[in-house]
Amino acid sequence: MIQGSLLGETPRIRWPDGTVYTSVSSFQSATGKGQNTVVAAPQSVNVAGNDFHLASGSPGINAGVVDAVYNTFLGQYGIDIRKAADGALRPPVGQIGDLGAS
């Protein structure tokens, strides 16, 4: 499922049926998916140095949505899965997080 994503300025979305969408709006119209998707340059800290954290001023900062799945998982299993790829905790439940790589 594609939603809450930060896509580059020229997105290409290949759907399982083989259709290739070249705009988020056409993808959303055809599939009903892609809510809260931002299309813009992510503005990473240092791509050449493999630091894909969002730089100050990135359109992905504070553009995320709060998903109930984090609270559900924590309540069900006692494990907090609100972590970025680098292990840093995402914002507390109820606060807005970022889109994109961390």
Side-chain angles (χ1 to χ4, degrees), residues 6-56:
L6 177 59
L7 302 178
E9 294 173 290
T10 53
R12 287 180 46 87
I13 304 167
R14 181 178 302 273
W15 206 236
D17 68 2
T19 305
V20 176
Y21 299 96
T22 55
S23 76
V24 172
S25 60
S26 65
F27 173 73
Q28 290 170 329
S29 294
T31 67
K33 300 187 182 309
Q35 296 78 14
N36 195 45
T37 296
V38 174
V39 178
Q43 301 178 21
S44 299
V45 170
N46 181 0
V47 173
N50 292 324
D51 185 350
F52 297 100
H53 289 89
L54 298 178
S56 176

